[in-house]
Structures are given as C-alpha cells and as structure tokens.
Amino acid sequence: MDPTDRADGAGGGKLILFGEHAVVYGVSAIVAGLGTGAKASAEFASQTTLTLTNGLTSEVLARVTPDDDQPIGRAFRAMLGTFETDNTVAVDVAIHVPIGSGLGSSAAMAVAVSRAMGALLEASADAVTRAVEASEQVFHGSPSGIDQAAAMCGGVFRFRRGETIQPLDVRGLRLLVCAAQEGASTAKMVGAVGELDELLPAPSGRVRDAIESVVDEAHRALVGGDHCRLGTLMNVNHGLLGALGVTTEPLDAACHAARAAGAWGAKMTGAGGGGCVFAVASTDAEQAVLDAWSDRGWQTFVFDIESSQS
Ligand code: PMV
C-alpha cells in the first residue's frame, strides 16, 4: 500500500492532580499526562467508519458510521465535519486507559482520531484542534479545555482557562490509581456544581478560593519533590470536592482505604460522581495501598510521572 494512504495519530490520557471543577470558574488546576492514552490509524476506504477498541482488553466496543446517533457516532460526525472532506475514511482507535473514569479517555480518543485523520487528509493543525474540540463538545458539553490540553500536550502542567499552559518540572512521582466506581457524566457533575453555586454563591466561592490556595501549595510541593506534603494537600482537595458535592461513598472509601494502608494522601480525580481515586505513598507503603484496593475488588493501575522541561 502507498504509505500516504494511511496515517497514525496518538493522544494521551490524563489525571487531574488538583483543581478540577474550580478550573471551570477560572481557578488554575494541575494535570499530569499519563504517557499512554489512545492510538488511531486512518486510511482511505470504501466506507467511512470508526472502530473503537478497548486496548486494555482488545474488546471491540463499537463500529460506527457518521450517521449513527450514539455519542461515539456523533463525535465521529463532528470530527469529520471540521475536515470538510468528500473522501471516505476508515479509522481504527484503541484506548489504553480505563474508559469513562476521569482519566481522559474521550479526549485521548479525540486527539488520536483527529491527528490520524488530519495527517491522512493533510489538514492544518488548526483543523485538528477544532476537530478535537468538536468531539469533546459531544461528550462533555462546554468543558474548561483541560482534558484536551492534556491529551494534546502531555507532561505535567498548570492550566488556567484561556491562558497558555505552564509546564512543571516533576520527577519520580508514582501515582497509584484505583477505579473505584463507574464514572458519571462530566456535564452532569459540572451542572450539579453550577446549581450549588447558584444556591450558595458565597460559600461556593470560598471553597474555590481554598482550592486555589491548595493548587498554589501543590505546585511548590510537586516541583520541590515533597510528595509527603503533596499527599496532605490531596486529602484537603478531596475534602473540598466533597464540599462541592462531587465525591461519593465508594470514592471516599477508596481514599480512606489508601490512607489506612499508609498512603501519604489520596484524592478523587476528574468530574467525580464515580470514577477513579489516586494516592501517593512511600515506596514501602505502595504495595499495601494497591492490595487494600484490590482486596475490595477495585481495579488498580500504576503510573510513573516524569515531566522534564529541560
Ligand atoms: O472529564 P473529567 O472527568 O476528567 O473532568 C473534567 C474536569 C472538570 O473540571 C470537572 C470539568 C472541566 O471541563 O474542567
């Protein structure tokens, strides 16, 4: 086959370390790219299709055309629309992070698919970015853009809506992750936080101010390599997310289990209402934390974060 008849693309998963939800209101957040996410390949074909595979299990999850009305079909249609092509294109995408758990699977998918299609169709970088935005609109409504930035850039960075990202130099950070509960809709959780803000604007604003101050402290602890202090800040941020109403019993239980097993700290990540919890622990305590989670039937993952700016 002519090599120009096929093109590949990749996008990264992410874990929001600090500042989710508050970031929607202009507070900054810190996010870590996971170094793994989604991989796509696109080729000219007789029919336009998107095949979605769970890269962790090899299970084919969906095979859609742009006319399909399920979210993945609508996302594919939205991406194709921005490329304004008359070509028929078959895209395969495999997702290598837990899906719908707040680890950025939808943004990673959108970036991988848009990059593969963009390369095949020789589209501009701007068209690729717009295709990613169009797909994220289908899954998330009007997000802050943090997932998309992480899926496109990788590394660890501080993000504030509408501003250029600030990369952070982070070394030797091991994140222990537990999929504690099926994820909830990001749009629904963002909506619930919005309702609380309408009902109680002053206390909600105070909670966001406290989150901002946690983000400032966490920035220093991360760059300084003080992972014990980072853990304490995670505990505080988790409590503040509880105040915003987005934690759940399983998320709280997973945090308590990690702390009881010796973790320095634990926190939910992403929109909440379900999804993942992560912990940091000394090397000696890591296995006990992972065991505490798997003993309760939760799936666990380990991500080593290195984000060098040099
Ligand atoms: O999509 P999730 O679950 O990673 O959450 C995104 C983070 C939020 O702050 C809740 C929403 C947003 O767009 O920033």
Side-chain angles (χ1 to χ4, degrees):
M1 182 191 292
D2 181 337
T4 56
D5 284 349
R6 186 190 160 97
D8 296 329
K14 64 92 186 61
L15 197 145
I16 299 178
L17 298 175
F18 294 92
E20 55 273 87
H21 283 292
V23 71
V24 174
Y25 296 80
V27 168
S28 63
I30 299 175
V31 59
L34 294 178
T36 177
K39 286 189 175 154
S41 66
E43 60 188 345
F44 295 118
S46 57
Q47 208 199 351
T48 294
T49 56
L50 174 72
T51 304
L52 176 72
T53 305
N54 181 335
L56 300 173
T57 62
S58 300
E59 184 192 352
V60 175
L61 300 172
R63 182 167 285 132
V64 295
T65 72
D67 297 327
D68 279 309
D69 230 20
Q70 50 182 299
I72 183 70
R74 285 190 278 128
F76 187 37
R77 184 159 70 237
M79 288 187 270
L80 275 166
T82 62
F83 291 119
E84 295 174 354
T85 179
D86 293 330
N87 289 297
T88 46
V89 179
V91 186
D92 280 305
V93 61
I95 300 188
H96 298 273
V97 289
I99 294 171
S101 301
L103 298 187
S105 57
S106 70
M109 183 281 295
V111 172
V113 170
S114 300
R115 281 184 172 153
M117 284 202 294
L120 185 74
L121 300 168
E122 296 176 354
S124 65
D126 187 49
V128 171
T129 303
R130 279 186 286 110
V132 175
E133 277 164 13
S135 176
E136 279 294 274
Q137 279 286 336
V138 171
F139 287 107
H140 288 321
S142 292
S144 66
I146 192 168
D147 285 17
Q148 185 176 332
M152 296 190 92
C153 307
V156 181
F157 59 87
R158 194 157 167 172
F159 173 95
R160 194 190 291 271
R161 208 170 179 168
E163 289 182 8
T164 316
I165 63 167
Q166 183 184 357
L168 305 186
D169 209 339
V170 172
R171 287 154 206 270
L173 177 65
R174 173 165 283 189
L175 301 179
L176 311 175
V177 178
C178 158
Q181 189 181 4
E182 199 182 320
S185 142
T186 300
K188 184 179 142 211
M189 300 313 295
V190 169
V193 172
E195 279 171 28
L196 184 73
D197 187 58
E198 270 177 33
L199 193 66
L200 299 169
S204 291
R206 291 279 169 86
V207 173
R208 289 199 296 274
D209 290 346
I211 292 176
E212 174 106 72
S213 126
V214 168
V215 170
D216 284 339
E217 293 276 352
H219 180 152
R220 285 189 279 277
L222 265 171
V223 174
D226 189 345
H227 298 163
C228 177
R229 188 173 174 82
L230 196 73
T232 306
L233 289 160
M234 286 160 56
N235 292 338
V236 174
N237 198 160
H238 184 82
L240 292 167
L241 287 163
L244 293 180
V246 298
T247 56
T248 63
E249 226 175 288
L251 294 175
D252 288 341
C255 287
H256 286 298
R259 293 172 199 145
W264 285 318
K267 170 186 169 291
M268 58 156 269
T269 181
C276 288
V277 151
F278 70 102
V280 289
S282 66
T283 314
D284 293 348
E286 279 172 5
Q287 196 53 50
V289 172
L290 293 169
D291 290 346
W293 285 335
S294 34
D295 287 351
R296 289 166 173 80
W298 289 317
Q299 204 180 356
T300 65
F301 306 87
V302 176
F303 296 104
D304 285 312
I305 307 295
E306 294 284 340
S307 174
S308 167
Q309 303 313 313
S310 49

